[in-house]
Amino acid sequence: MLTFGVSLGIIKNVTPLSDRMRPNKLSEIIGQKHILSNDSLLTKSIKSGQIFSMIFWGPPGVGKTTLARVIAKETQVDFLEFSAVNTCTAELKKIFGELDPARQTIVFIDEIHRFSKSQQDAFLPFVERGVITLIGATTENPSFEIIAPLLSRSRVFVLNRLTKEELTEVAEKALTDTEFGLGKFKAKISDKALEFLIEESNGDARKILNTLEIAVNSLEAKVEITEKTIEEAIQKKALMYDKNGEEHYNTISAFIKSMRASNPDAALYYLARMIEAGEDPLFIARRMVIFASEDIGMAQPTAIVIANEVFKACEVIGYPECTINLAHGTVYLAKAKKDRSAYNAYFKAVDDIKNLGNLPIPLHLKNAPTKLMKELGYGKDYEMYPDKDKSLLPEKLKGKKYFIEKSED
């Protein structure tokens, strides 16, 4: 069986615990019984060897990658594995073009939602011709992130977060397995520590295993893992970039503040951190579009055009090539002059609305589509091009200025 990008074997004491503890058989998989029961469509297709293209949709750490590898191993077909974060379509097309159509090949693409629509179009013909059987893994709704032709040729399977009982089984197996797990340390975990670990994991088996590995390695006397041990292990993990955690927001905050400070070097550093961690390029590009209006605004109105073009480039091209577009846009925005006058003016107006409610609009600004409304004074004395100093605000706010150009500060 051909494999690419991953070994289905286990390398002891080298790979992380979460990799060493991956099931190698369908019967070893914990959880997802709703799609893996004996009479389920997926289980029957695996046992019969009749595999079709499919999309696994579910949160992190629920077994999407594991299930794809197990399917390949149990059906004994060629298996290629890629991540959309660091693979370009040119590379995929070249590899797919060299495959033997007479041999079934499962292609597993992790985080397939990170491929742009045009990138997905590129490998659609290989799926249509049966050159590859696609298995895609995504944390995002396939209805919005996968192109319709590809979705129509695939079966979507929803993977659920693991239950408390299933996560307990994962933890206990890791602590007792002497071959691949932590059994040789003979560490025990207190009930409170286990409960705390499961609560913090949010249904993510990978997080359970990574935290346990750090916890056990930190024990001086290999006796008992306490709640404090788990808490310290989780804090150590938090130093890493977590797309759903605090570091995610810390990094994007540092990125924005570096551009605001007109420091392209720091901005590029934080951009690189996000990209290397696999952050969604559209998330970064959206923040750049917001920044262009919020912080640059009237000082350089074309900044919003540049930021929008960066967003479109990320949408069309995707990783890894769109990193160049993000870098280009980051330097441009960082070096641009800054002016928050439009942003500040808008929120001053919002404050008046919140404090004073919906004040009556001046009659001369109201439309008068009926005779009665005209008789009531609607639209009376309206001037299409009044003097620029004439107030058009409600009477209570007459003469008030929200927008103050930077030169007038």
Side-chain angles (χ1 to χ4, degrees), residues 153-212:
R153 290 164 175 78
S154 309
R155 178 68 182 261
V156 176
F157 291 99
V158 179
L159 278 70
N160 299 328
R161 294 187 187 280
L162 272 61
T163 65
K164 181 179 179 180
E165 292 72 26
E166 290 163 350
L167 291 169
T168 300
E169 186 179 348
V170 169
E172 290 176 346
K173 188 173 182 181
L175 288 169
T176 55
D177 189 314
T178 55
E179 186 177 3
F180 301 124
L182 304 168
K184 64 180 180 180
F185 296 109
K186 298 181 180 179
K188 303 295 181 183
I189 187 168
S190 70
D191 292 340
K192 282 189 176 181
L194 180 59
E195 187 176 341
F196 177 62
L197 174 61
I198 290 171
E199 185 180 321
E200 289 294 311
S201 72
N202 197 27
D204 185 334
R206 189 188 302 113
K207 189 170 183 179
I208 290 270
L209 295 172
N210 289 342
T211 304
L212 278 177

Tab-separated table of all heavy atoms in Angstrom, residues 153-212:
chain	number	residue	atom	x	y	z
A	153	ARG	N	-20.770	15.301	-5.026
A	153	ARG	CA	-20.120	14.024	-5.318
A	153	ARG	C	-19.569	13.350	-4.053
A	153	ARG	O	-18.864	12.360	-4.132
A	153	ARG	CB	-18.993	14.230	-6.337
A	153	ARG	CG	-19.516	14.575	-7.719
A	153	ARG	CD	-18.438	15.147	-8.614
A	153	ARG	NE	-18.928	15.357	-9.971
A	153	ARG	CZ	-19.699	16.370	-10.352
A	153	ARG	NH1	-20.066	17.275	-9.463
A	153	ARG	NH2	-20.106	16.485	-11.603
A	154	SER	N	-19.883	13.931	-2.903
A	154	SER	CA	-19.357	13.411	-1.630
A	154	SER	C	-20.493	13.218	-0.634
A	154	SER	O	-21.528	13.877	-0.716
A	154	SER	CB	-18.327	14.378	-1.033
A	154	SER	OG	-17.339	14.724	-1.972
A	155	ARG	N	-20.258	12.328	0.305
A	155	ARG	CA	-21.208	12.134	1.400
A	155	ARG	C	-20.646	12.842	2.631
A	155	ARG	O	-19.474	12.657	2.980
A	155	ARG	CB	-21.381	10.626	1.684
A	155	ARG	CG	-22.304	10.290	2.838
A	155	ARG	CD	-23.739	10.642	2.532
A	155	ARG	NE	-24.596	10.351	3.665
A	155	ARG	CZ	-25.347	9.250	3.780
A	155	ARG	NH1	-25.317	8.331	2.816
A	155	ARG	NH2	-26.121	9.064	4.829
A	156	VAL	N	-21.449	13.681	3.289
A	156	VAL	CA	-21.001	14.401	4.474
A	156	VAL	C	-21.338	13.598	5.723
A	156	VAL	O	-22.479	13.191	5.921
A	156	VAL	CB	-21.652	15.804	4.561
A	156	VAL	CG1	-21.242	16.497	5.862
A	156	VAL	CG2	-21.263	16.656	3.360
A	157	PHE	N	-20.322	13.378	6.554
A	157	PHE	CA	-20.515	12.716	7.844
A	157	PHE	C	-20.166	13.711	8.949
A	157	PHE	O	-19.071	14.294	8.944
A	157	PHE	CB	-19.636	11.471	7.973
A	157	PHE	CG	-20.042	10.344	7.061
A	157	PHE	CD1	-19.375	10.143	5.855
A	157	PHE	CD2	-21.091	9.506	7.405
A	157	PHE	CE1	-19.746	9.113	5.011
A	157	PHE	CE2	-21.474	8.466	6.556
A	157	PHE	CZ	-20.806	8.272	5.352
A	158	VAL	N	-21.088	13.902	9.874
A	158	VAL	CA	-20.873	14.829	10.983
A	158	VAL	C	-20.284	14.072	12.169
A	158	VAL	O	-20.868	13.085	12.636
A	158	VAL	CB	-22.194	15.510	11.407
A	158	VAL	CG1	-21.949	16.459	12.575
A	158	VAL	CG2	-22.799	16.262	10.224
A	159	LEU	N	-19.130	14.507	12.634
A	159	LEU	CA	-18.494	13.903	13.811
A	159	LEU	C	-18.753	14.781	15.023
A	159	LEU	O	-18.575	16.000	14.952
A	159	LEU	CB	-16.988	13.730	13.596
A	159	LEU	CG	-16.554	12.484	12.803
A	159	LEU	CD1	-16.941	12.618	11.341
A	159	LEU	CD2	-15.047	12.256	12.929
A	160	ASN	N	-19.192	14.180	16.113
A	160	ASN	CA	-19.573	14.927	17.311
A	160	ASN	C	-18.425	15.037	18.311
A	160	ASN	O	-17.489	14.224	18.295
A	160	ASN	CB	-20.754	14.236	18.009
A	160	ASN	CG	-21.971	14.174	17.115
A	160	ASN	OD1	-22.200	15.059	16.292
A	160	ASN	ND2	-22.766	13.120	17.253
A	161	ARG	N	-18.525	16.026	19.190
A	161	ARG	CA	-17.586	16.104	20.319
A	161	ARG	C	-17.734	14.841	21.149
A	161	ARG	O	-18.829	14.301	21.292
A	161	ARG	CB	-17.894	17.323	21.200
A	161	ARG	CG	-17.660	18.646	20.506
A	161	ARG	CD	-17.830	19.800	21.488
A	161	ARG	NE	-17.764	21.083	20.807
A	161	ARG	CZ	-16.647	21.685	20.448
A	161	ARG	NH1	-15.488	21.112	20.704
A	161	ARG	NH2	-16.661	22.841	19.831
A	162	LEU	N	-16.625	14.370	21.714
A	162	LEU	CA	-16.675	13.164	22.525
A	162	LEU	C	-17.382	13.444	23.851
A	162	LEU	O	-17.274	14.537	24.401
A	162	LEU	CB	-15.267	12.626	22.783
A	162	LEU	CG	-14.716	11.664	21.707
A	162	LEU	CD1	-14.613	12.343	20.353
A	162	LEU	CD2	-13.377	11.089	22.116
A	163	THR	N	-18.101	12.451	24.337
A	163	THR	CA	-18.820	12.587	25.598
A	163	THR	C	-17.854	12.441	26.771
A	163	THR	O	-16.691	12.039	26.593
A	163	THR	CB	-19.908	11.512	25.725
A	163	THR	OG1	-19.253	10.215	25.789
A	163	THR	CG2	-20.852	11.537	24.533
A	164	LYS	N	-18.335	12.746	27.968
A	164	LYS	CA	-17.514	12.618	29.175
A	164	LYS	C	-17.020	11.189	29.343
A	164	LYS	O	-15.856	10.940	29.687
A	164	LYS	CB	-18.330	13.044	30.395
A	164	LYS	CG	-17.558	12.964	31.701
A	164	LYS	CD	-18.419	13.428	32.872
A	164	LYS	CE	-17.629	13.313	34.185
A	164	LYS	NZ	-18.451	13.753	35.346
A	165	GLU	N	-17.907	10.226	29.082
A	165	GLU	CA	-17.539	8.803	29.220
A	165	GLU	C	-16.478	8.414	28.202
A	165	GLU	O	-15.529	7.680	28.522
A	165	GLU	CB	-18.786	7.921	29.041
A	165	GLU	CG	-19.826	8.031	30.144
A	165	GLU	CD	-20.597	9.355	30.118
A	165	GLU	OE1	-20.696	9.967	29.017
A	165	GLU	OE2	-21.085	9.780	31.190
A	166	GLU	N	-16.613	8.905	26.986
A	166	GLU	CA	-15.645	8.582	25.930
A	166	GLU	C	-14.288	9.225	26.211
A	166	GLU	O	-13.241	8.599	26.004
A	166	GLU	CB	-16.196	9.038	24.575
A	166	GLU	CG	-17.377	8.200	24.103
A	166	GLU	CD	-18.187	8.854	22.988
A	166	GLU	OE1	-17.947	10.052	22.703
A	166	GLU	OE2	-19.052	8.181	22.420
A	167	LEU	N	-14.300	10.452	26.704
A	167	LEU	CA	-13.048	11.127	27.039
A	167	LEU	C	-12.358	10.449	28.221
A	167	LEU	O	-11.128	10.363	28.272
A	167	LEU	CB	-13.312	12.597	27.366
A	167	LEU	CG	-13.744	13.465	26.179
A	167	LEU	CD1	-14.225	14.827	26.661
A	167	LEU	CD2	-12.619	13.632	25.170
A	168	THR	N	-13.158	9.956	29.173
A	168	THR	CA	-12.601	9.205	30.307
A	168	THR	C	-11.898	7.953	29.797
A	168	THR	O	-10.801	7.602	30.256
A	168	THR	CB	-13.716	8.824	31.298
A	168	THR	OG1	-14.339	10.017	31.787
A	168	THR	CG2	-13.162	8.021	32.470
A	169	GLU	N	-12.521	7.291	28.836
A	169	GLU	CA	-11.927	6.082	28.247
A	169	GLU	C	-10.612	6.416	27.542
A	169	GLU	O	-9.631	5.671	27.655
A	169	GLU	CB	-12.921	5.455	27.259
A	169	GLU	CG	-12.456	4.110	26.709
A	169	GLU	CD	-13.463	3.482	25.751
A	169	GLU	OE1	-14.613	3.972	25.675
A	169	GLU	OE2	-13.080	2.506	25.073
A	170	VAL	N	-10.574	7.539	26.834
A	170	VAL	CA	-9.352	7.984	26.148
A	170	VAL	C	-8.231	8.205	27.160
A	170	VAL	O	-7.098	7.738	26.983
A	170	VAL	CB	-9.610	9.282	25.350
A	170	VAL	CG1	-8.292	9.889	24.858
A	170	VAL	CG2	-10.527	9.016	24.159
A	171	ALA	N	-8.556	8.904	28.252
A	171	ALA	CA	-7.552	9.228	29.271
A	171	ALA	C	-7.039	7.974	29.964
A	171	ALA	O	-5.820	7.802	30.151
A	171	ALA	CB	-8.151	10.191	30.297
A	172	GLU	N	-7.951	7.104	30.355
A	172	GLU	CA	-7.560	5.880	31.070
A	172	GLU	C	-6.717	4.957	30.187
A	172	GLU	O	-5.751	4.336	30.658
A	172	GLU	CB	-8.799	5.159	31.584
A	172	GLU	CG	-9.498	5.917	32.723
A	172	GLU	CD	-10.783	5.249	33.181
A	172	GLU	OE1	-11.277	4.353	32.455
A	172	GLU	OE2	-11.291	5.626	34.260
A	173	LYS	N	-7.073	4.885	28.928
A	173	LYS	CA	-6.304	4.042	27.998
A	173	LYS	C	-4.881	4.576	27.852
A	173	LYS	O	-3.914	3.811	27.826
A	173	LYS	CB	-7.016	4.003	26.640
A	173	LYS	CG	-6.413	3.003	25.665
A	173	LYS	CD	-7.263	2.895	24.412
A	173	LYS	CE	-6.663	1.851	23.456
A	173	LYS	NZ	-7.457	1.737	22.207
A	174	ALA	N	-4.753	5.907	27.756
A	174	ALA	CA	-3.431	6.530	27.609
A	174	ALA	C	-2.567	6.292	28.841
A	174	ALA	O	-1.354	6.070	28.733
A	174	ALA	CB	-3.588	8.022	27.355
A	175	LEU	N	-3.178	6.324	30.023
A	175	LEU	CA	-2.422	6.171	31.270
A	175	LEU	C	-2.039	4.722	31.569
A	175	LEU	O	-1.112	4.468	32.338
A	175	LEU	CB	-3.239	6.739	32.444
A	175	LEU	CG	-3.359	8.270	32.492
A	175	LEU	CD1	-4.385	8.692	33.524
A	175	LEU	CD2	-1.998	8.901	32.792
A	176	THR	N	-2.749	3.771	30.958
A	176	THR	CA	-2.473	2.357	31.256
A	176	THR	C	-1.720	1.635	30.148
A	176	THR	O	-1.133	0.573	30.386
A	176	THR	CB	-3.794	1.612	31.532
A	176	THR	OG1	-4.684	1.792	30.411
A	176	THR	CG2	-4.459	2.145	32.785
A	177	ASP	N	-1.731	2.171	28.945
A	177	ASP	CA	-1.059	1.527	27.811
A	177	ASP	C	0.459	1.621	28.002
A	177	ASP	O	1.045	2.698	28.005
A	177	ASP	CB	-1.465	2.216	26.507
A	177	ASP	CG	-0.974	1.471	25.263
A	177	ASP	OD1	0.208	1.079	25.240
A	177	ASP	OD2	-1.762	1.300	24.328
A	178	THR	N	1.103	0.463	28.154
A	178	THR	CA	2.553	0.448	28.413
A	178	THR	C	3.383	0.458	27.133
A	178	THR	O	4.576	0.750	27.170
A	178	THR	CB	2.926	-0.796	29.234
A	178	THR	OG1	2.450	-1.957	28.548
A	178	THR	CG2	2.326	-0.732	30.621
A	179	GLU	N	2.748	0.159	25.997
A	179	GLU	CA	3.499	0.100	24.743
A	179	GLU	C	3.574	1.467	24.061
A	179	GLU	O	4.652	1.935	23.688
A	179	GLU	CB	2.863	-0.918	23.788
A	179	GLU	CG	3.686	-1.121	22.514
A	179	GLU	CD	3.095	-2.188	21.610
A	179	GLU	OE1	2.017	-2.729	21.934
A	179	GLU	OE2	3.720	-2.465	20.569
A	180	PHE	N	2.424	2.116	23.892
A	180	PHE	CA	2.378	3.396	23.183
A	180	PHE	C	2.008	4.569	24.091
A	180	PHE	O	2.233	5.724	23.743
A	180	PHE	CB	1.370	3.333	22.026
A	180	PHE	CG	1.681	2.255	21.020
A	180	PHE	CD1	0.734	1.289	20.707
A	180	PHE	CD2	2.914	2.206	20.396
A	180	PHE	CE1	1.015	0.301	19.785
A	180	PHE	CE2	3.207	1.221	19.460
A	180	PHE	CZ	2.255	0.255	19.154
A	181	GLY	N	1.423	4.263	25.235
A	181	GLY	CA	0.923	5.315	26.113
A	181	GLY	C	1.871	5.678	27.235
A	181	GLY	O	3.094	5.610	27.106
A	182	LEU	N	1.291	6.023	28.389
A	182	LEU	CA	2.061	6.483	29.551
A	182	LEU	C	2.095	5.435	30.660
A	182	LEU	O	2.456	5.748	31.795
A	182	LEU	CB	1.445	7.782	30.084
A	182	LEU	CG	1.334	8.930	29.060
A	182	LEU	CD1	0.462	10.056	29.601
A	182	LEU	CD2	2.717	9.466	28.700
A	183	GLY	N	1.723	4.212	30.321
A	183	GLY	CA	1.619	3.155	31.330
A	183	GLY	C	2.896	2.865	32.082
A	183	GLY	O	2.865	2.520	33.268
A	184	LYS	N	4.039	3.047	31.424
A	184	LYS	CA	5.312	2.728	32.085
A	184	LYS	C	5.595	3.666	33.260
A	184	LYS	O	6.372	3.343	34.155
A	184	LYS	CB	6.462	2.795	31.074
A	184	LYS	CG	6.700	4.176	30.486
A	184	LYS	CD	7.865	4.149	29.504
A	184	LYS	CE	8.119	5.524	28.910
A	184	LYS	NZ	9.245	5.521	27.958
A	185	PHE	N	4.953	4.848	33.277
A	185	PHE	CA	5.162	5.782	34.383
A	185	PHE	C	4.337	5.427	35.612
A	185	PHE	O	4.580	5.932	36.698
A	185	PHE	CB	4.830	7.210	33.937
A	185	PHE	CG	5.728	7.731	32.861
A	185	PHE	CD1	5.260	7.911	31.568
A	185	PHE	CD2	7.051	8.044	33.135
A	185	PHE	CE1	6.081	8.392	30.566
A	185	PHE	CE2	7.891	8.526	32.142
A	185	PHE	CZ	7.406	8.693	30.852
A	186	LYS	N	3.322	4.562	35.403
A	186	LYS	CA	2.437	4.109	36.491
A	186	LYS	C	1.802	5.275	37.248
A	186	LYS	O	1.628	5.233	38.466
A	186	LYS	CB	3.212	3.205	37.461
A	186	LYS	CG	3.743	1.941	36.792
A	186	LYS	CD	4.484	1.054	37.769
A	186	LYS	CE	4.992	-0.194	37.070
A	186	LYS	NZ	5.745	-1.091	37.982
A	187	ALA	N	1.500	6.335	36.516
A	187	ALA	CA	0.884	7.511	37.142
A	187	ALA	C	-0.616	7.298	37.281
A	187	ALA	O	-1.260	6.700	36.417
A	187	ALA	CB	1.152	8.753	36.297
A	188	LYS	N	-1.167	7.791	38.357
A	188	LYS	CA	-2.603	7.744	38.610
A	188	LYS	C	-3.139	9.172	38.523
A	188	LYS	O	-2.408	10.129	38.751
A	188	LYS	CB	-2.900	7.160	39.988
A	188	LYS	CG	-2.325	5.758	40.218
A	188	LYS	CD	-2.964	4.738	39.298
A	188	LYS	CE	-2.386	3.342	39.560
A	188	LYS	NZ	-2.937	2.336	38.619
A	189	ILE	N	-4.405	9.282	38.231
A	189	ILE	CA	-5.020	10.604	38.172
A	189	ILE	C	-6.193	10.652	39.141
A	189	ILE	O	-7.009	9.722	39.190
A	189	ILE	CB	-5.476	10.943	36.735
A	189	ILE	CG1	-5.966	12.390	36.649
A	189	ILE	CG2	-6.536	9.983	36.218
A	189	ILE	CD1	-6.158	12.904	35.226
A	190	SER	N	-6.277	11.712	39.921
A	190	SER	CA	-7.364	11.833	40.896
A	190	SER	C	-8.673	12.091	40.170
A	190	SER	O	-8.693	12.568	39.033
A	190	SER	CB	-7.079	12.977	41.870
A	190	SER	OG	-7.185	14.226	41.214
A	191	ASP	N	-9.789	11.765	40.828
A	191	ASP	CA	-11.111	11.967	40.214
A	191	ASP	C	-11.339	13.431	39.863
A	191	ASP	O	-11.859	13.757	38.797
A	191	ASP	CB	-12.210	11.479	41.163
A	191	ASP	CG	-12.190	9.958	41.329
A	191	ASP	OD1	-11.599	9.290	40.447
A	191	ASP	OD2	-12.756	9.453	42.308
A	192	LYS	N	-10.924	14.334	40.780
A	192	LYS	CA	-11.110	15.769	40.542
A	192	LYS	C	-10.261	16.252	39.362
A	192	LYS	O	-10.704	17.064	38.554
A	192	LYS	CB	-10.753	16.565	41.796
A	192	LYS	CG	-11.828	16.543	42.874
A	192	LYS	CD	-11.493	17.526	43.978
A	192	LYS	CE	-12.620	17.578	45.003
A	192	LYS	NZ	-12.329	18.552	46.091
A	193	ALA	N	-9.035	15.724	39.282
A	193	ALA	CA	-8.142	16.112	38.194
A	193	ALA	C	-8.695	15.641	36.846
A	193	ALA	O	-8.658	16.375	35.852
A	193	ALA	CB	-6.750	15.545	38.418
A	194	LEU	N	-9.220	14.426	36.827
A	194	LEU	CA	-9.793	13.882	35.594
A	194	LEU	C	-11.026	14.678	35.174
A	194	LEU	O	-11.200	15.005	33.990
A	194	LEU	CB	-10.157	12.408	35.785
A	194	LEU	CG	-10.771	11.699	34.571
A	194	LEU	CD1	-9.825	11.754	33.378
A	194	LEU	CD2	-11.120	10.254	34.911
A	195	GLU	N	-11.854	14.999	36.149
A	195	GLU	CA	-13.063	15.780	35.866
A	195	GLU	C	-12.690	17.164	35.313
A	195	GLU	O	-13.288	17.653	34.358
A	195	GLU	CB	-13.885	15.924	37.150
A	195	GLU	CG	-15.240	16.571	36.929
A	195	GLU	CD	-16.072	16.607	38.205
A	195	GLU	OE1	-15.779	15.847	39.145
A	195	GLU	OE2	-17.019	17.411	38.250
A	196	PHE	N	-11.663	17.773	35.915
A	196	PHE	CA	-11.198	19.091	35.475
A	196	PHE	C	-10.623	19.005	34.058
A	196	PHE	O	-10.892	19.860	33.207
A	196	PHE	CB	-10.148	19.618	36.455
A	196	PHE	CG	-9.540	20.942	36.065
A	196	PHE	CD1	-10.321	22.083	35.948
A	196	PHE	CD2	-8.180	21.042	35.805
A	196	PHE	CE1	-9.760	23.296	35.586
A	196	PHE	CE2	-7.617	22.253	35.439
A	196	PHE	CZ	-8.407	23.387	35.334
A	197	LEU	N	-9.837	17.960	33.800
A	197	LEU	CA	-9.231	17.760	32.482
A	197	LEU	C	-10.306	17.613	31.413
A	197	LEU	O	-10.222	18.222	30.340
A	197	LEU	CB	-8.336	16.514	32.509
A	197	LEU	CG	-7.737	16.060	31.174
A	197	LEU	CD1	-6.842	17.143	30.587
A	197	LEU	CD2	-6.964	14.767	31.358
A	198	ILE	N	-11.321	16.819	31.695
A	198	ILE	CA	-12.397	16.581	30.726
A	198	ILE	C	-13.186	17.860	30.476
A	198	ILE	O	-13.534	18.183	29.336
A	198	ILE	CB	-13.316	15.447	31.224
A	198	ILE	CG1	-12.561	14.108	31.145
A	198	ILE	CG2	-14.607	15.391	30.418
A	198	ILE	CD1	-13.262	12.955	31.798
A	199	GLU	N	-13.432	18.601	31.534
A	199	GLU	CA	-14.169	19.862	31.401
A	199	GLU	C	-13.405	20.856	30.528
A	199	GLU	O	-13.979	21.523	29.670
A	199	GLU	CB	-14.408	20.463	32.793
A	199	GLU	CG	-15.263	21.723	32.775
A	199	GLU	CD	-15.484	22.278	34.178
A	199	GLU	OE1	-15.677	21.474	35.110
A	199	GLU	OE2	-15.444	23.506	34.330
A	200	GLU	N	-12.086	20.918	30.735
A	200	GLU	CA	-11.257	21.859	29.978
A	200	GLU	C	-11.045	21.424	28.529
A	200	GLU	O	-10.748	22.242	27.665
A	200	GLU	CB	-9.888	22.019	30.653
A	200	GLU	CG	-9.920	22.783	31.964
A	200	GLU	CD	-10.318	24.241	31.769
A	200	GLU	OE1	-9.737	24.899	30.887
A	200	GLU	OE2	-11.224	24.705	32.481
A	201	SER	N	-11.193	20.158	28.260
A	201	SER	CA	-10.908	19.641	26.919
A	201	SER	C	-11.988	20.012	25.906
A	201	SER	O	-11.732	20.012	24.701
A	201	SER	CB	-10.779	18.115	26.955
A	201	SER	OG	-12.052	17.522	27.152
A	202	ASN	N	-13.208	20.287	26.379
A	202	ASN	CA	-14.303	20.664	25.492
A	202	ASN	C	-14.544	19.624	24.399
A	202	ASN	O	-14.776	19.959	23.228
A	202	ASN	CB	-14.014	22.046	24.864
A	202	ASN	CG	-15.247	22.691	24.265
A	202	ASN	OD1	-16.365	22.414	24.706
A	202	ASN	ND2	-15.066	23.529	23.268
A	203	GLY	N	-14.469	18.360	24.794
A	203	GLY	CA	-14.759	17.279	23.853
A	203	GLY	C	-13.647	16.935	22.900
A	203	GLY	O	-13.841	16.182	21.946
A	204	ASP	N	-12.458	17.469	23.128
A	204	ASP	CA	-11.314	17.302	22.227
A	204	ASP	C	-10.362	16.245	22.793
A	204	ASP	O	-9.654	16.493	23.765
A	204	ASP	CB	-10.602	18.653	22.089
A	204	ASP	CG	-9.462	18.644	21.079
A	204	ASP	OD1	-8.889	17.568	20.844
A	204	ASP	OD2	-9.131	19.711	20.550
A	205	ALA	N	-10.326	15.065	22.175
A	205	ALA	CA	-9.481	13.972	22.657
A	205	ALA	C	-8.000	14.314	22.530
A	205	ALA	O	-7.192	13.926	23.377
A	205	ALA	CB	-9.783	12.696	21.882
A	206	ARG	N	-7.641	15.045	21.486
A	206	ARG	CA	-6.234	15.423	21.303
A	206	ARG	C	-5.758	16.294	22.454
A	206	ARG	O	-4.641	16.141	22.953
A	206	ARG	CB	-6.055	16.164	19.977
A	206	ARG	CG	-4.588	16.410	19.610
A	206	ARG	CD	-4.428	17.306	18.412
A	206	ARG	NE	-5.092	16.767	17.240
A	206	ARG	CZ	-6.158	17.307	16.658
A	206	ARG	NH1	-6.674	18.415	17.135
A	206	ARG	NH2	-6.705	16.757	15.598
A	207	LYS	N	-6.620	17.189	22.895
A	207	LYS	CA	-6.252	18.071	24.005
A	207	LYS	C	-6.078	17.261	25.291
A	207	LYS	O	-5.183	17.542	26.095
A	207	LYS	CB	-7.331	19.149	24.207
A	207	LYS	CG	-6.927	20.229	25.191
A	207	LYS	CD	-7.910	21.386	25.177
A	207	LYS	CE	-7.454	22.497	26.122
A	207	LYS	NZ	-8.374	23.648	26.126
A	208	ILE	N	-6.915	16.257	25.477
A	208	ILE	CA	-6.781	15.361	26.636
A	208	ILE	C	-5.396	14.723	26.637
A	208	ILE	O	-4.677	14.732	27.649
A	208	ILE	CB	-7.857	14.252	26.594
A	208	ILE	CG1	-9.243	14.829	26.868
A	208	ILE	CG2	-7.517	13.121	27.561
A	208	ILE	CD1	-9.684	14.881	28.281
A	209	LEU	N	-5.006	14.154	25.504
A	209	LEU	CA	-3.747	13.420	25.414
A	209	LEU	C	-2.531	14.343	25.522
A	209	LEU	O	-1.560	14.025	26.210
A	209	LEU	CB	-3.704	12.637	24.097
A	209	LEU	CG	-4.754	11.523	23.971
A	209	LEU	CD1	-4.770	10.944	22.562
A	209	LEU	CD2	-4.497	10.413	24.989
A	210	ASN	N	-2.585	15.493	24.855
A	210	ASN	CA	-1.459	16.431	24.939
A	210	ASN	C	-1.253	16.941	26.362
A	210	ASN	O	-0.125	17.072	26.839
A	210	ASN	CB	-1.692	17.615	23.996
A	210	ASN	CG	-1.563	17.240	22.533
A	210	ASN	OD1	-0.995	16.205	22.198
A	210	ASN	ND2	-2.093	18.058	21.649
A	211	THR	N	-2.360	17.215	27.048
A	211	THR	CA	-2.271	17.720	28.418
A	211	THR	C	-1.744	16.635	29.351
A	211	THR	O	-0.907	16.908	30.224
A	211	THR	CB	-3.652	18.202	28.907
A	211	THR	OG1	-4.158	19.185	27.992
A	211	THR	CG2	-3.558	18.816	30.296
A	212	LEU	N	-2.210	15.418	29.179
A	212	LEU	CA	-1.731	14.308	30.009
A	212	LEU	C	-0.241	14.078	29.822
A	212	LEU	O	0.485	13.826	30.787
A	212	LEU	CB	-2.494	13.018	29.673
A	212	LEU	CG	-3.859	12.826	30.324
A	212	LEU	CD1	-4.502	11.534	29.816
A	212	LEU	CD2	-3.743	12.785	31.856
